[in-house]
Amino acid sequence: MPTLDRSPALVATGFLAIPVAQALVGLPSDLLARIEAAPIDPELADTAAFSEAYGYPLDGGANCIVVAGRRGDEVRYAACVVLASTKLDVNRVVKRLLDVRKASFAPMDQAVELTGMEYGGITPIGLPAGWPVYVDARVLDAPEVVVGAGLRGAKVFLPGVVLAALPNVTVVEGLATEPPPSNSA
């Protein structure tokens, strides 16, 4: 099993995406002190692969999903953060939050271009300033969550309450749903 060489995020800016490193510098020191980062094998960036390879619990992983909603000719973007063990409710909750008629995951190339981050590494830290960041309330209960670092070759570790205190974050009850139980016989 590979090991994680974690260090304070501000010290680790060399392996974070530029928008992420820039956003970290602007955070209050009490938040910044509780954020760590570590380089990882980029082939293991997807949440399930990372959890299995590094022995990190799946319910401690969080996915940051870029959503695009349309109302008339206007496109509205947001980032949604949910635990990896849950599923984002795009069709009801996100649509209502964005006040749009239709909402869906943003196309990969568009998400990458707009965020300046790599697909599979998009994180709520360092997103475009005008974007809302919706965080499922269950994330706050996690003593530590792991999210992308803007690049596939690193991860960021922080308490759920610190994630909720980041700029533009709104905590939303029911942003995600529990997946249906599997029918394993």
Side-chain angles (χ1 to χ4, degrees):
M1 179 178 301
T3 59
L4 290 168
D5 184 20
R6 292 167 56 160
S7 56
L10 199 54
V11 174
T13 57
F15 51 81
L16 305 176
I18 291 170
V20 177
Q22 290 172 334
L24 286 170
V25 172
L27 290 178
S29 60
D30 61 321
L31 293 181
L32 188 55
R34 300 180 68 194
I35 303 173
E36 293 183 320
I40 65 163
D41 179 341
E43 296 298 314
L44 301 172
D46 294 332
T47 306
F50 171 83
S51 293
E52 183 177 333
Y54 290 93
Y56 201 84
L58 193 58
D59 59 358
N63 292 322
C64 182
I65 303 153
V66 176
V67 177
R70 185 173 290 282
R71 185 163 200 77
D73 291 338
E74 181 186 4
V75 178
R76 299 174 185 174
Y77 294 95
C80 299
V81 181
V82 299
L83 293 176
S85 58
T86 63
K87 183 178 177 193
L88 178 63
D89 187 345
V90 177
N91 293 322
R92 287 184 318 115
V93 179
V94 177
K95 199 164 95 169
R96 178 179 45 80
L97 289 167
L98 287 176
D99 189 27
V100 294
R101 296 178 58 87
K102 182 181 180 189
S104 59
F105 295 172
M108 176 180 60
D109 56 337
Q110 195 175 57
V112 167
E113 180 183 339
L114 293 171
T115 63
M117 300 179 199
E118 292 179 354
Y119 190 76
I122 294 176
T123 184
I125 303 168
L127 291 169
W131 285 17
V133 179
Y134 301 119
V135 175
D136 185 66
R138 285 173 270 223
V139 173
L140 274 65
D141 295 333
E144 180 176 77
V145 293
V146 59
V147 294
L151 301 174
R152 290 183 63 85
K155 291 288 186 185
V156 171
F157 304 83
L158 66 167
V161 294
V162 171
L163 181 64
L166 294 174
N168 300 330
V169 167
T170 301
V171 176
V172 179
E173 250 340 295
L175 180 64
T177 59
E178 296 289 330
S182 61
N183 292 337
S184 55

